[in-house]
Amino acid sequence: MSKYRIAWLPGDGIGVEVMDATRVVLDALELDAEYPFGDIGWDCWCKEGDALPQRTIDLLGKVDAAMFGAITSKPVKAAEAELVPSLRGTGLVYRSPIVRMRQLFDLYVCLRPCKGYAGNPLNYKEGIDLVVFRENTEDLYSGVEFAPVPAELAATLQALSKPFAPFAKLPGDAYAVSCKINTKKGSERIVRAAFEFAKKHGRKKVTIVHKANVVRATDGLFLEEAKKVAKDFPEIAWDDANVDAIGMWLLKNPFNYDVLVAPNLYGDVISDLCAQMVGGLGFGCSGNIGEKLAVFEPTHGSAPKHAGKQKANPIATILTAKMMLDWLGEKDKAQRLEAATAAVIAEGKVRTYDMGGSSTTMEMGRAIAEKLPVAAGR
Ligand SMILES: NC(=O)c1ccc[n+]([C@@H]2O[C@H](COP(=O)([O-])OP(=O)(O)OC[C@H]3O[C@@H](n4cnc5c(N)ncnc54)[C@H](O)[C@@H]3O)[C@@H](O)[C@H]2O)c1
């Protein structure tokens, strides 16, 4: 029996190709693992009406970790139109399987390191090394949404909230409501995870990102909980910033920041911004981490226009595998994988289209796999 069982969920679009290239690297590392395959994504939705089938949920309950590629997601009506005819009009509603996976398994930490590797022609500035902690289970992604808005909800909002008055006059199908739900527990634990990471890794500062001056109830709660947590870490400097301002400050002075922590939506946005500063989505790696399970995935989506063309950069997924190795405690393998990736980037001979080259997805995977013995000093 292998030491690890790692669910292998390529998904669709470029997810399939970047995962194939990553597997070449993991195999070359000789990780003692088996990789049971799991169905997820657009095909499952179209054919079965469920983008995250129960058999995949069952699989996730029986593994040490999961590697996930990418999936295509579409708005509700567009998704319904692509169901097989027998499932259309049956009341099935599309929900992103990755959001469901995060909620079902309480994968509350979304960890997104954004490190610029020397020699990457796409680096915004050399030496950027940011880490984003994004809350992963609540906020505007809680899935509590109404379109059209039911009359009972409109009546309740009218009775309870003065600012709702201009909307109360509208017919239910003229607007939509998505609920931003943030709990004290959810806010506390993501901020604590960010501070604990900063302490463990000798990071100098944690920045709390919010919009508490306008979104006073939910972001106000997030900020208050964050301030309480900060008191438990007197050795770590911290500050806070509005999400709009941080977009500007990160670009202007990226070296003033270190670890950033934010509610779900803002965390999603700033992690793409940070990924772009270190080379774009082809370099953005991430882990969805809970107490019992962790699902590792590149930050990018299925990039349909590149799907099946062997164009996508697999480095994001390969660095995602490095995060998984760290999480499993395979520190030596993680370091070798990162060193091999850094060496290929620095050498500049193998570059995918986004880096200005014409190498294929698999050529990049093989180049990194071939550098592993060098990275180990063999
Ligand atoms: N976790 C996920 O699986 C996830 C995340 C984001 C978006 N999505 C879905 O993916 C689909 C496409 O979304 P999108 O186009 O907004 O975002 P995307 O991340 O798929 O791609 C945006 C663009 O970034 C570039 N890019 C992305 N990954 C790259 C890579 N590995 N190498 C080189 N270039 C890369 C491409 O130019 C691409 O067109 C949508 O259906 C969306 O809902 C899924």
Side-chain angles (χ1 to χ4, degrees):
M1 224 175 87
S2 307
K3 188 169 173 194
Y4 304 113
R5 262 170 74 75
I6 295 163
W8 197 255
L9 317 176
D12 54 69
I14 61 166
V16 177
E17 295 147 69
V18 294
M19 286 283 278
D20 282 348
T22 301
R23 187 63 165 274
V24 168
V25 180
L26 284 172
D27 288 348
L29 267 176
E30 295 174 355
L31 182 69
D32 185 7
E34 55 192 277
Y35 301 93
F37 178 88
D39 286 313
I40 189 167
W42 197 242
D43 259 16
C44 299
W45 164 254
C46 295
K47 292 183 188 143
E48 305 174 35
D50 190 353
L52 179 63
Q54 186 58 43
R55 58 186 178 280
T56 304
I57 297 172
D58 294 342
L59 170 69
L60 286 168
K62 290 184 250 162
V63 292
D64 299 295
M67 280 288 297
F68 166 57
I71 45 100
T72 302
S73 263
K74 295 191 183 178
V76 171
K77 282 187 183 154
E80 196 190 349
E82 293 197 33
L83 281 170
V84 291
S86 59
L87 292 176
R88 273 179 229 154
T90 58
L92 290 166
V93 177
Y94 181 82
R95 274 203 72 200
S96 160
I98 181 67
V99 174
R100 274 180 64 208
M101 200 153 58
R102 288 167 181 157
Q103 289 173 345
L104 270 173
F105 292 94
D106 201 20
L107 308 174
Y108 63 93
V109 172
C110 185
L111 172 57
R112 293 184 161 176
C114 297
K115 179 170 169 180
Y117 290 92
N120 184 349
L122 300 172
N123 282 342
Y124 172 61
K125 289 181 180 171
E126 289 297 326
I128 291 177
D129 186 5
L130 298 161
V131 180
V132 178
F133 276 77
R134 163 190 172 193
E135 199 291 321
N136 222 12
T137 57
E138 43 188 56
D139 197 56
L140 260 175
Y141 292 56
S142 56
V144 183
E145 303 194 283
F146 303 91
V149 179
E152 311 92 278
L153 179 63
T156 305
L157 289 172
Q158 189 175 14
L160 298 180
S161 169
K162 268 191 190 162
F164 186 72
F167 307 105
K169 302 180 186 79
L170 298 170
D173 60 0
Y175 68 119
V177 171
S178 297
C179 297
K180 175 167 157 69
I181 304 177
N182 300 75
T183 65
K184 286 186 177 178
K185 179 184 167 192
S187 307
E188 192 271 345
R189 65 184 181 173
I190 189 65
V191 178
R192 188 167 295 282
F195 273 91
E196 272 167 3
F197 177 94
K199 188 175 170 182
K200 186 172 172 194
H201 296 276
R203 295 282 181 153
K204 60 182 188 294
K205 187 172 83 169
V206 174
T207 300
I208 300 151
V209 180
H210 59 86
K211 186 73 184 173
N213 59 334
V214 177
V215 190
R216 291 192 298 272
T218 46
D219 285 2
L221 178 148
F222 186 85
L223 182 58
E224 283 313 306
E225 291 306 307
K227 285 180 180 171
K228 285 186 214 159
V229 172
K231 286 195 181 132
D232 294 340
F233 297 85
E235 68 278 39
I236 309 282
W238 69 274
D239 59 8
D240 70 284
N242 284 325
V243 63
D244 46 343
I246 202 75
M248 181 267 293
W249 286 119
L250 275 171
L251 277 185
K252 193 167 189 298
N253 296 323
F255 301 108
N256 284 359
Y257 297 94
D258 193 342
V259 176
L260 300 119
V261 60
N264 207 335
L265 177 62
Y266 310 147
D268 200 1
V269 174
I270 60 170
S271 53
D272 274 27
L273 171 62
C274 293
Q276 189 57 45
M277 290 198 282
V278 298
L281 288 175
F283 294 83
C285 51
S286 94
N288 303 285
I289 302 169
E291 300 296 339
K292 294 192 184 131
L293 178 71
V295 177
F296 296 87
E297 56 159 341
T299 305
H300 63 72
S302 62
K305 70 180 179 197
H306 298 316
K309 296 183 183 157
Q310 278 290 317
K311 275 186 79 175
N313 189 345
I315 288 180
T317 316
I318 291 168
L319 290 173
T320 293
K322 182 252 174 208
M323 292 179 71
M324 179 187 72
L325 292 169
D326 272 329
W327 189 77
L328 290 171
E330 296 284 343
K331 300 285 172 200
D332 173 61
K333 287 186 167 51
Q335 273 167 15
R336 279 169 58 204
L337 193 158
E338 185 178 26
T341 308
V344 170
I345 294 170
E347 204 172 71
K349 286 188 194 151
V350 179
R351 285 181 171 172
T352 43
Y353 89 94
D354 53 322
M355 301 170 80
S358 58
S359 305
T360 65
T361 308
M362 191 49 90
E363 281 165 357
M364 178 61 88
R366 287 202 192 103
I368 293 172
E370 280 161 20
K371 279 273 188 282
L372 289 169
V374 183
R378 281 189 226 149

